[in-house]
mmCIF file of all heavy atoms in Angstrom:
data_model
loop_
_atom_site.group_PDB
_atom_site.id
_atom_site.type_symbol
_atom_site.label_atom_id
_atom_site.label_comp_id
_atom_site.label_asym_id
_atom_site.label_seq_id
_atom_site.Cartn_x
_atom_site.Cartn_y
_atom_site.Cartn_z
ATOM 1 N N LEU A 1 -12.679 30.185 -21.480
ATOM 2 C CA LEU A 1 -13.139 28.886 -21.984
ATOM 3 C C LEU A 1 -14.547 28.555 -21.503
ATOM 4 O O LEU A 1 -15.335 27.973 -22.240
ATOM 5 C CB LEU A 1 -12.170 27.771 -21.575
ATOM 6 C CG LEU A 1 -10.878 27.701 -22.365
ATOM 7 C CD1 LEU A 1 -10.018 26.552 -21.872
ATOM 8 C CD2 LEU A 1 -11.141 27.548 -23.848
ATOM 9 N N VAL A 2 -14.842 28.946 -20.292
ATOM 10 C CA VAL A 2 -16.188 28.721 -19.761
ATOM 11 C C VAL A 2 -17.215 29.475 -20.605
ATOM 12 O O VAL A 2 -18.293 28.966 -20.908
ATOM 13 C CB VAL A 2 -16.268 29.151 -18.279
ATOM 14 C CG1 VAL A 2 -17.703 29.180 -17.792
ATOM 15 C CG2 VAL A 2 -15.430 28.214 -17.414
ATOM 16 N N ASP A 3 -16.838 30.686 -21.016
ATOM 17 C CA ASP A 3 -17.771 31.563 -21.727
ATOM 18 C C ASP A 3 -17.814 31.356 -23.239
ATOM 19 O O ASP A 3 -18.677 31.928 -23.902
ATOM 20 C CB ASP A 3 -17.411 33.031 -21.450
ATOM 21 C CG ASP A 3 -17.682 33.434 -20.015
ATOM 22 O OD1 ASP A 3 -18.517 32.774 -19.353
ATOM 23 O OD2 ASP A 3 -17.049 34.395 -19.545
ATOM 24 N N ASP A 4 -16.911 30.593 -23.804
ATOM 25 C CA ASP A 4 -16.821 30.461 -25.257
ATOM 26 C C ASP A 4 -16.966 29.007 -25.679
ATOM 27 O O ASP A 4 -15.968 28.274 -25.827
ATOM 28 C CB ASP A 4 -15.493 31.043 -25.741
ATOM 29 C CG ASP A 4 -15.414 31.177 -27.256
ATOM 30 O OD1 ASP A 4 -16.194 30.525 -27.971
ATOM 31 O OD2 ASP A 4 -14.533 31.934 -27.711
ATOM 32 N N ASP A 5 -18.194 28.588 -25.903
ATOM 33 C CA ASP A 5 -18.474 27.193 -26.235
ATOM 34 C C ASP A 5 -17.785 26.777 -27.538
ATOM 35 O O ASP A 5 -17.232 25.673 -27.625
ATOM 36 C CB ASP A 5 -19.982 26.987 -26.352
ATOM 37 C CG ASP A 5 -20.347 25.540 -26.555
ATOM 38 O OD1 ASP A 5 -19.945 24.701 -25.714
ATOM 39 O OD2 ASP A 5 -21.038 25.228 -27.556
ATOM 40 N N ARG A 6 -17.773 27.635 -28.527
ATOM 41 C CA ARG A 6 -17.165 27.304 -29.821
ATOM 42 C C ARG A 6 -15.657 27.044 -29.674
ATOM 43 O O ARG A 6 -15.134 26.066 -30.205
ATOM 44 C CB ARG A 6 -17.422 28.436 -30.803
ATOM 45 C CG ARG A 6 -16.946 28.163 -32.186
ATOM 46 C CD ARG A 6 -17.407 29.259 -33.100
ATOM 47 N NE ARG A 6 -16.693 29.203 -34.354
ATOM 48 C CZ ARG A 6 -16.783 30.101 -35.278
ATOM 49 N NH1 ARG A 6 -17.551 31.147 -35.115
ATOM 50 N NH2 ARG A 6 -16.106 29.978 -36.389
ATOM 51 N N ARG A 7 -14.970 27.924 -28.965
ATOM 52 C CA ARG A 7 -13.530 27.750 -28.760
ATOM 53 C C ARG A 7 -13.250 26.498 -27.931
ATOM 54 O O ARG A 7 -12.319 25.746 -28.206
ATOM 55 C CB ARG A 7 -12.944 28.977 -28.067
ATOM 56 C CG ARG A 7 -11.445 28.873 -27.886
ATOM 57 C CD ARG A 7 -10.853 30.195 -27.483
ATOM 58 N NE ARG A 7 -9.412 30.096 -27.378
ATOM 59 C CZ ARG A 7 -8.736 30.444 -26.304
ATOM 60 N NH1 ARG A 7 -9.346 30.936 -25.258
ATOM 61 N NH2 ARG A 7 -7.434 30.321 -26.283
ATOM 62 N N ARG A 8 -14.059 26.289 -26.907
ATOM 63 C CA ARG A 8 -13.885 25.122 -26.047
ATOM 64 C C ARG A 8 -14.025 23.834 -26.864
ATOM 65 O O ARG A 8 -13.250 22.898 -26.718
ATOM 66 C CB ARG A 8 -14.886 25.176 -24.894
ATOM 67 C CG ARG A 8 -14.614 24.202 -23.784
ATOM 68 C CD ARG A 8 -15.519 24.421 -22.587
ATOM 69 N NE ARG A 8 -16.931 24.349 -22.921
ATOM 70 C CZ ARG A 8 -17.761 25.394 -22.921
ATOM 71 N NH1 ARG A 8 -17.318 26.597 -22.613
ATOM 72 N NH2 ARG A 8 -19.033 25.247 -23.232
ATOM 73 N N ARG A 9 -14.987 23.801 -27.761
ATOM 74 C CA ARG A 9 -15.177 22.608 -28.604
ATOM 75 C C ARG A 9 -14.006 22.417 -29.569
ATOM 76 O O ARG A 9 -13.575 21.292 -29.820
ATOM 77 C CB ARG A 9 -16.490 22.696 -29.365
ATOM 78 C CG ARG A 9 -17.703 22.522 -28.489
ATOM 79 C CD ARG A 9 -18.991 22.652 -29.310
ATOM 80 N NE ARG A 9 -20.141 22.702 -28.476
ATOM 81 C CZ ARG A 9 -20.839 21.642 -28.082
ATOM 82 N NH1 ARG A 9 -20.444 20.438 -28.454
ATOM 83 N NH2 ARG A 9 -21.897 21.783 -27.324
ATOM 84 N N SER A 10 -13.500 23.503 -30.099
ATOM 85 C CA SER A 10 -12.354 23.419 -30.999
ATOM 86 C C SER A 10 -11.132 22.877 -30.262
ATOM 87 O O SER A 10 -10.432 21.987 -30.767
ATOM 88 C CB SER A 10 -12.047 24.813 -31.571
ATOM 89 O OG SER A 10 -10.858 24.782 -32.313
ATOM 90 N N LEU A 11 -10.865 23.403 -29.076
ATOM 91 C CA LEU A 11 -9.733 22.915 -28.278
ATOM 92 C C LEU A 11 -9.956 21.472 -27.841
ATOM 93 O O LEU A 11 -9.004 20.699 -27.727
ATOM 94 C CB LEU A 11 -9.503 23.812 -27.068
ATOM 95 C CG LEU A 11 -9.064 25.252 -27.374
ATOM 96 C CD1 LEU A 11 -8.953 26.051 -26.081
ATOM 97 C CD2 LEU A 11 -7.773 25.278 -28.151
ATOM 98 N N ALA A 12 -11.207 21.109 -27.607
ATOM 99 C CA ALA A 12 -11.520 19.731 -27.213
ATOM 100 C C ALA A 12 -11.132 18.752 -28.316
ATOM 101 O O ALA A 12 -10.607 17.666 -28.047
ATOM 102 C CB ALA A 12 -12.997 19.597 -26.882
ATOM 103 N N ALA A 13 -11.364 19.139 -29.570
ATOM 104 C CA ALA A 13 -10.982 18.275 -30.696
ATOM 105 C C ALA A 13 -9.471 18.077 -30.721
ATOM 106 O O ALA A 13 -8.978 16.960 -30.926
ATOM 107 C CB ALA A 13 -11.477 18.872 -32.013
ATOM 108 N N GLY A 14 -8.721 19.141 -30.498
ATOM 109 C CA GLY A 14 -7.262 19.028 -30.445
ATOM 110 C C GLY A 14 -6.803 18.187 -29.266
ATOM 111 O O GLY A 14 -5.834 17.429 -29.364
ATOM 112 N N ALA A 15 -7.498 18.325 -28.146
ATOM 113 C CA ALA A 15 -7.160 17.537 -26.959
ATOM 114 C C ALA A 15 -7.339 16.042 -27.247
ATOM 115 O O ALA A 15 -6.491 15.226 -26.880
ATOM 116 C CB ALA A 15 -8.020 17.967 -25.776
ATOM 117 N N LEU A 16 -8.427 15.694 -27.916
ATOM 118 C CA LEU A 16 -8.656 14.287 -28.264
ATOM 119 C C LEU A 16 -7.558 13.759 -29.184
ATOM 120 O O LEU A 16 -7.073 12.639 -28.998
ATOM 121 C CB LEU A 16 -10.024 14.124 -28.930
ATOM 122 C CG LEU A 16 -11.224 14.212 -27.989
ATOM 123 C CD1 LEU A 16 -12.519 14.321 -28.783
ATOM 124 C CD2 LEU A 16 -11.259 13.008 -27.056
ATOM 125 N N GLU A 17 -7.142 14.564 -30.156
ATOM 126 C CA GLU A 17 -6.052 14.143 -31.046
ATOM 127 C C GLU A 17 -4.750 13.953 -30.284
ATOM 128 O O GLU A 17 -4.010 13.002 -30.530
ATOM 129 C CB GLU A 17 -5.847 15.173 -32.158
ATOM 130 C CG GLU A 17 -6.740 14.965 -33.338
ATOM 131 C CD GLU A 17 -6.344 15.843 -34.504
ATOM 132 O OE1 GLU A 17 -5.136 15.980 -34.778
ATOM 133 O OE2 GLU A 17 -7.260 16.392 -35.126
ATOM 134 N N THR A 18 -4.475 14.862 -29.365
ATOM 135 C CA THR A 18 -3.253 14.753 -28.560
ATOM 136 C C THR A 18 -3.271 13.465 -27.749
ATOM 137 O O THR A 18 -2.279 12.745 -27.691
ATOM 138 C CB THR A 18 -3.119 15.969 -27.623
ATOM 139 O OG1 THR A 18 -3.025 17.151 -28.427
ATOM 140 C CG2 THR A 18 -1.886 15.854 -26.740
ATOM 141 N N ALA A 19 -4.387 13.177 -27.126
ATOM 142 C CA ALA A 19 -4.497 11.968 -26.307
ATOM 143 C C ALA A 19 -4.318 10.717 -27.158
ATOM 144 O O ALA A 19 -3.684 9.752 -26.722
ATOM 145 C CB ALA A 19 -5.842 11.939 -25.591
ATOM 146 N N THR A 20 -4.821 10.741 -28.380
ATOM 147 C CA THR A 20 -4.678 9.596 -29.277
ATOM 148 C C THR A 20 -3.205 9.296 -29.537
ATOM 149 O O THR A 20 -2.803 8.134 -29.608
ATOM 150 C CB THR A 20 -5.409 9.858 -30.608
ATOM 151 O OG1 THR A 20 -6.794 10.067 -30.328
ATOM 152 C CG2 THR A 20 -5.254 8.706 -31.570
ATOM 153 N N GLY A 21 -2.396 10.344 -29.643
ATOM 154 C CA GLY A 21 -0.971 10.159 -29.865
ATOM 155 C C GLY A 21 -0.240 9.548 -28.684
ATOM 156 O O GLY A 21 0.907 9.114 -28.809
ATOM 157 N N HIS A 22 -0.890 9.521 -27.531
ATOM 158 C CA HIS A 22 -0.295 8.944 -26.322
ATOM 159 C C HIS A 22 -1.015 7.673 -25.878
ATOM 160 O O HIS A 22 -0.786 7.193 -24.771
ATOM 161 C CB HIS A 22 -0.322 9.967 -25.183
ATOM 162 C CG HIS A 22 0.550 11.149 -25.447
ATOM 163 N ND1 HIS A 22 1.913 11.121 -25.277
ATOM 164 C CD2 HIS A 22 0.261 12.381 -25.892
ATOM 165 C CE1 HIS A 22 2.421 12.299 -25.594
ATOM 166 N NE2 HIS A 22 1.438 13.080 -25.970
ATOM 167 N N ALA A 23 -1.847 7.128 -26.741
ATOM 168 C CA ALA A 23 -2.567 5.899 -26.421
ATOM 169 C C ALA A 23 -1.587 4.729 -26.321
ATOM 170 O O ALA A 23 -0.494 4.758 -26.902
ATOM 171 C CB ALA A 23 -3.621 5.615 -27.484
ATOM 172 N N ALA A 24 -1.977 3.705 -25.593
ATOM 173 C CA ALA A 24 -1.101 2.552 -25.357
ATOM 174 C C ALA A 24 -0.579 1.945 -26.655
ATOM 175 O O ALA A 24 0.617 1.639 -26.766
ATOM 176 C CB ALA A 24 -1.838 1.505 -24.531
ATOM 177 N N ALA A 25 -1.431 1.793 -27.641
ATOM 178 C CA ALA A 25 -1.003 1.187 -28.910
ATOM 179 C C ALA A 25 0.044 2.059 -29.600
ATOM 180 O O ALA A 25 1.036 1.543 -30.138
ATOM 181 C CB ALA A 25 -2.202 0.987 -29.828
ATOM 182 N N GLU A 26 -0.142 3.366 -29.568
ATOM 183 C CA GLU A 26 0.820 4.280 -30.196
ATOM 184 C C GLU A 26 2.153 4.266 -29.464
ATOM 185 O O GLU A 26 3.214 4.198 -30.081
ATOM 186 C CB GLU A 26 0.239 5.696 -30.215
ATOM 187 C CG GLU A 26 1.144 6.730 -30.825
ATOM 188 C CD GLU A 26 1.381 6.539 -32.311
ATOM 189 O OE1 GLU A 26 0.509 5.987 -33.002
ATOM 190 O OE2 GLU A 26 2.456 6.946 -32.785
ATOM 191 N N VAL A 27 2.121 4.323 -28.161
ATOM 192 C CA VAL A 27 3.349 4.350 -27.366
ATOM 193 C C VAL A 27 4.101 3.025 -27.491
ATOM 194 O O VAL A 27 5.322 3.004 -27.647
ATOM 195 C CB VAL A 27 3.046 4.681 -25.887
ATOM 196 C CG1 VAL A 27 4.289 4.537 -25.023
ATOM 197 C CG2 VAL A 27 2.490 6.100 -25.786
ATOM 198 N N SER A 28 3.374 1.914 -27.459
ATOM 199 C CA SER A 28 4.049 0.619 -27.576
ATOM 200 C C SER A 28 4.689 0.463 -28.956
ATOM 201 O O SER A 28 5.779 -0.097 -29.079
ATOM 202 C CB SER A 28 3.092 -0.536 -27.282
ATOM 203 O OG SER A 28 2.079 -0.608 -28.257
#
């Protein structure tokens, strides 16, 4: 991941989506 900026950015987008699904408004 350190060496692959493109893959890291792609996974980062998925990470943001995952976090959105656990946001306070979604959980409540």
Side-chain angles (χ1 to χ4, degrees):
L1 284 181
V2 169
D3 291 337
D4 190 341
D5 186 56
R6 185 173 166 187
R7 183 168 183 234
R8 193 172 57 250
R9 289 179 189 270
S10 173
L11 295 177
L16 285 168
E17 274 190 42
T18 299
T20 300
H22 294 281
E26 179 67 28
V27 173
S28 66

